[in-house]
Amino acid sequence: MNLLLFRILVVIKLTKNNISFGSLISDNCYFCRNIIFMIFNALKPKIADLISGSDSKDYILQSICELLKAKIPHYDWVGFYFKNGDKEELKLGPYAGTVTDHTVIPFGKGICGQVAVSNQNFVVPDVKAQDNYIACSISVKSEIVVPLFVEGQNIGQIDIDSNTADPFTEQDERFLEFVCQSVAAIL
Ligand code: SME
């Protein structure tokens, strides 16, 4: 059986049994982790193609957000925030998912604002356990933010919200670092 057919059968079986892919990821399903790894690997050349194309920067960033949200089962909101000029704040850039009120985030506030200061990836398995967290939607259970560097400067970040509890692994961190490094080439 070819891989595509196999994946389709798995998704049909999960759907018929009312099992969300996200719940299996948080249960640390080895098989699901492998599928996610394959999805990440399949997305990398698509991202590289988008970046090497002649479309505008905003179109490329928007397309990346939509691609990640559509193809990665535990990514429910995907967006970029960027440093707002000389101000110590982040401004929302292209995103895919529900509209958010948090279009400007001061440095130090929330998960995003903390990453603007720390320059480190921030993985939040359970948003309820965070004191310094800005809620965008009651359905969000977890979040990952990865900083975006251009010439060594932290100029923004990619932010992912998930409606699944504790779904993010080092695979997500490596993949999102790849996305940020790729995007840095057009900023
Ligand atoms: N939760 C983020 C705010 C941005 S929304 O997720 C879109 C934070 O705590 O910084």
Side-chain angles (χ1 to χ4, degrees):
M1 191 188 308
N2 80 27
L3 190 58
L4 179 63
L5 181 58
F6 178 65
R7 286 185 204 169
I8 292 168
L9 289 176
V10 168
V11 172
I12 290 172
K13 180 124 185 153
L14 290 174
T15 311
K16 270 190 172 173
N17 290 299
N18 214 10
I19 299 170
S20 82
F21 208 84
S23 68
L24 291 175
I25 296 165
S26 56
D27 284 347
N28 224 346
C29 161
Y30 177 75
F31 168 77
C32 297
R33 297 268 175 222
N34 275 329
I35 299 256
I36 296 293
F37 187 64
M38 286 190 280
I39 294 173
F40 286 155
N41 282 338
L43 288 175
K44 284 181 181 179
K46 293 188 194 306
I47 289 163
D49 280 352
L50 279 168
I51 284 166
S52 63
S54 54
D55 294 307
S56 72
K57 183 184 79 176
D58 277 355
Y59 179 88
I60 294 170
L61 294 180
Q62 184 68 48
S63 303
I64 290 173
C65 291
E66 284 167 14
L67 186 67
L68 269 51
K69 181 178 180 294
K71 301 293 181 192
I72 305 170
H74 56 300
Y75 287 19
D76 295 298
W77 190 95
V78 179
F80 289 95
Y81 281 94
F82 293 102
K83 187 174 191 301
N84 191 9
D86 290 338
K87 297 181 185 163
E88 296 282 287
E89 65 184 27
L90 294 162
K91 193 173 170 206
L92 183 61
Y95 68 95
T98 52
V99 174
T100 175
D101 291 339
H102 306 292
T103 53
V104 175
I105 299 177
F107 278 19
K109 298 270 178 183
I111 308 303
C112 297
Q114 291 178 76
V115 170
V117 175
S118 73
N119 304 324
Q120 306 283 325
N121 297 348
F122 199 153
V123 180
V124 182
D126 174 9
V127 293
K128 287 204 192 94
Q130 292 291 321
D131 291 335
N132 190 358
Y133 168 71
I134 302 166
C136 280
S137 150
I138 51 161
S139 54
V140 175
K141 294 201 170 89
S142 56
E143 180 165 1
I144 182 171
V145 179
V146 171
L148 203 165
F149 300 98
V150 172
E151 292 169 3
Q153 298 295 308
N154 180 350
I155 59 109
Q157 51 193 240
I158 190 165
D159 176 19
I160 315 292
D161 285 342
S162 178
N163 299 339
T164 298
D166 195 13
F168 301 114
T169 69
E170 285 185 12
Q171 281 180 10
D172 293 85
E173 290 191 70
R174 299 296 86 79
F175 173 69
L176 294 171
E177 285 164 2
F178 167 85
V179 173
C180 286
Q181 280 159 17
S182 306
V183 162
I186 56 160
L187 296 176

